[in-house]
Amino acid sequence: MSFKVAIIGRPNVGKSTLFNRLVGKRIALVDDQPGVTRDRREGDGQLGDLKFIVIDTAGLEEAAPDALETRMKAQTDRAIEEAHVCLFMIDGRVGVMPEDEKFGAALRASGKPVVLLVNKTEGKGLDGVYEAYGLGLGEPIAVSAEHGEGMAEIYTALQPIHDSLDLKEVEGERLDWDDPLKPLRVAIVGRPNAGKSTLINQMIGDERMLTGPEAGITRDSIAIDWTWSGPDRDWPVKLHDTAGMRRKSKVQEKLEKLSVADTLRAIRFAEVVILMLDADMALEKQDLQIADLALQEGRALVLVANKWDKVDDRQQALNELREKVDRLLPQAPGLPIVTLSALTGRNVDRLMPAVTKVYVDWNAKVKTSDLNVWLEDATSRHPPPAVKGRRIKIRYMAQTKTRPPTFVAHSQRAEELPESYRRYLVNGIREAFELPAVPIRLLFRSQKNPFESKKKKR
């Protein structure tokens, strides 16, 4: 069991900045605008030899029962329950606010150990630190999350709490990419309000992500560890919930640009991308751009038509959706389509089998001997066209990479081979070796004629 540390405080006191400092990476979004963080985020933190899981939380605010801020506070309450110790942060520049006193009292009532941090104290004196004594949470620590000041003092405060707990740390071994114990990285992307967070909650069976009728609730890309019990074995999975991506022309605010950049990073580091579609507005221009981006990055792709329970003639709608996918995304024919309702949970159990199937194809390896037997047959049935009166001969082909399957063909004057013939070969590889849906990369290398230099000398 890992030592868990939750960062608690009002909005805009610097919680996400401290989170990034403790994990050593700029993972959480940081902006001057209050209330940037909404979902709770976990990361592997370290101070010296002390390792722990650090939890970034939404800013504590008083709000109406049905308000978004109240749902955000419920997520923060969950983080307090899970944590072994809370880092309660206040803003040293403005001093102790009435909200700080209320939330400080609530933390005392929780019974959890609390370390009081006074942030933004660089060059501003210690007035805020002296004022923090009135919260009754022990001796405050002056820190600057942005500049890294006060980290040694936080270590000193956390170390005895860690040592007092009976935690059995399990050291994990380094895992290769194809190790069955390595988590499968899955990014769930789509336009705003497509139901991405609701789907994750339904998959893991817990209200882990903040949801609601408002569009654009999710801002950060949140990673969640989960285990899916498949028919043959258990699959460790790391699910990435992402912010909705609108058309580029509509993205104006700095915060939304940061959210989109975070989503793009999640796509690049994922192995399988789940594109959420709204059944009523499936495969609009923005959906196609997101799908094309995932395929260009070489990711395996699964399409999910959400809100399928609202569709009247489902068979006709599915046929029309399949036709649109085949017509508008020809670079990955046979993309798997899963129709479901994230809200009710209908058909959600069909999603992970489709994800693992496309993931296995994405890792496919083809024997060089089988590949060249196929190549000889394919080129004899449909020889490469003659260019400038001379035929181009493809001598042999080999697979050089997986994830996605990448093949290299050796040929003279490869640069003159028409694009149409390249597509013919790619489609032939898909059909012969049963590799639908996943992106396939086919590269050509020119072989130099060893007698060409001798001819020039004559």
Side-chain angles (χ1 to χ4, degrees):
M1 185 178 182
S2 299
F3 184 44
K4 288 192 174 183
V5 179
I7 307 174
I8 311 297
R10 290 186 297 104
N12 211 32
V13 296
K15 298 184 298 298
S16 295
T17 304
L18 178 62
F19 174 88
N20 289 340
R21 173 71 59 181
L22 294 176
V23 300
K25 300 176 183 177
R26 293 182 62 86
I27 299 178
L29 297 186
V30 176
D31 192 70
D32 293 336
Q33 177 181 334
V36 172
T37 302
R38 288 176 171 173
D39 289 289
R40 68 184 192 272
R41 174 197 287 276
E42 296 184 359
D44 295 325
Q46 183 171 356
L47 285 173
D49 60 349
L50 182 61
K51 297 182 180 180
F52 48 88
I53 293 178
V54 58
I55 308 174
D56 187 21
T57 64
L60 293 167
E61 295 182 86
E62 295 288 348
D66 57 344
L68 174 61
E69 290 77 10
T70 301
R71 281 175 271 146
M72 291 163 58
K73 185 177 182 298
Q75 291 286 330
T76 300
D77 292 340
R78 286 280 302 275
I80 295 173
E81 292 176 8
E82 296 176 3
H84 295 102
V85 58
C86 296
L87 300 180
F88 183 44
M89 179 178 283
I90 68 171
D91 189 336
R93 295 177 181 174
V94 299
V96 176
M97 303 294 289
E99 292 85 353
D100 294 324
E101 296 177 351
K102 293 180 182 178
F103 300 135
L107 284 174
R108 281 198 305 272
S110 71
K112 293 294 178 73
V114 178
V115 177
L116 179 58
L117 306 181
V118 183
N119 192 30
K120 307 179 185 179
T121 56
E122 67 281 0
K124 296 293 182 180
L126 299 176
D127 293 343
V129 178
Y130 300 142
E131 191 176 347
Y133 277 96
L135 291 172
L137 293 171
E139 184 177 354
I141 299 175
V143 301
S144 172
E146 185 173 358
H147 297 91
E149 299 174 5
M151 298 301 109
E153 288 76 8
I154 295 178
Y155 170 87
T156 303
L158 293 179
Q159 185 68 54
I161 300 174
H162 173 273
D163 293 344
S164 67
L165 300 172
D166 185 18
L167 299 175
K168 296 180 180 179
E169 297 289 346
V170 179
E171 293 294 334
E173 297 180 1
R174 185 179 180 85
L175 303 175
D176 294 329
W177 69 265
D178 56 352
D179 193 298
L181 298 178
K182 184 178 183 297
L184 167 60
R185 296 190 297 273
V186 179
I188 302 181
V189 302
R191 288 182 283 124
N193 214 27
K196 300 180 291 296
S197 299
T198 304
L199 175 62
I200 287 184
N201 288 343
Q202 196 68 245
M203 291 172 70
I204 66 178
D206 184 23
E207 293 297 317
R208 173 64 178 82
M209 303 305 303
L210 190 64
T211 61
E214 304 90 347
I217 289 179
T218 303
R219 286 173 172 171
D220 295 82
S221 173
I222 306 295
I224 301 167
D225 292 316
W226 174 58
T227 300
W228 174 65
S229 297
D232 52 348
R233 66 179 178 87
D234 291 342
W235 286 74
V237 181
K238 186 177 285 292
L239 292 171
H240 290 263
D241 188 20
T242 63
M245 298 176 65
R246 297 195 299 167
R247 284 183 295 178
K248 190 174 181 180
S249 59
K250 292 187 175 182
V251 179
Q252 302 294 334
E253 295 184 2
K254 174 188 174 184
L255 181 56
E256 188 172 1
K257 292 180 180 179
L258 292 174
S259 298
V260 171
D262 209 26
T263 300
L264 296 177
R265 183 168 64 247
I267 292 175
R268 294 188 182 101
F269 284 94
E271 294 164 328
V272 179
V273 173
I274 297 175
L275 174 57
M276 294 283 289
L277 308 173
D278 191 320
D280 294 331
M281 302 177 291
L283 281 187
E284 293 191 341
K285 183 178 179 180
Q286 181 65 2
D287 296 323
L288 294 173
Q289 290 179 339
I290 298 173
D292 185 60
L293 172 65
L295 294 172
Q296 285 184 11
E297 291 291 338
R299 306 303 96 182
L301 183 63
V302 175
L303 301 181
V304 169
N306 189 26
K307 307 177 185 178
W308 202 250
D309 53 326
K310 298 181 180 179
V311 177
D312 295 327
D313 191 340
R314 296 173 184 172
Q315 187 57 50
Q316 180 182 352
L318 180 59
N319 294 337
E320 292 176 354
L321 179 58
R322 169 52 65 189
E323 185 276 329
K324 289 179 68 175
V325 170
D326 292 340
R327 175 168 48 87
L328 299 175
L329 293 171
Q331 64 270 48
L335 277 174
I337 302 175
V338 180
T339 58
L340 53 79
S341 171
L343 185 61
T344 65
R346 182 182 178 88
N347 293 340
V348 170
D349 57 337
R350 298 180 181 179
L351 178 55
M352 283 308 297
V355 168
T356 52
K357 171 63 171 62
V358 76
Y359 173 73
V360 170
D361 291 342
W362 190 61
N363 285 286
K365 297 179 181 178
V366 180
K367 292 182 179 179
T368 302
S369 56
D370 295 342
L371 191 61
N372 283 282
V373 168
W374 166 83
L375 177 64
E376 184 177 356
D377 179 66
T379 53
S380 62
R381 285 187 287 107
H382 185 186
V387 179
K388 298 179 181 179
R390 299 169 60 191
R391 287 209 172 271
I392 299 175
K393 182 173 179 59
I394 302 175
R395 301 192 179 279
Y396 69 94
M397 184 182 295
Q399 184 177 0
T400 57
K401 289 174 57 180
T402 59
R403 305 160 60 85
T406 302
F407 303 88
V408 174
H410 296 262
S411 169
Q412 291 182 355
R413 298 183 295 129
E415 67 280 357
E416 299 177 3
L417 197 67
E419 185 62 32
S420 59
Y421 196 80
R422 296 172 186 248
R423 289 196 299 269
Y424 161 73
L425 294 177
V426 169
N427 292 333
I429 292 173
R430 286 190 190 280
E431 183 178 353
F433 301 105
E434 299 181 353
L435 297 176
V438 298
I440 291 179
R441 292 174 176 169
L442 177 58
L443 310 176
F444 283 84
R445 290 180 182 172
S446 296
Q447 289 185 323
K448 294 183 179 180
N449 188 343
F451 300 102
E452 187 174 357
S453 59
K454 294 182 180 181
K455 291 179 181 180
K456 292 182 178 179
K457 290 181 180 178
R458 289 180 180 177

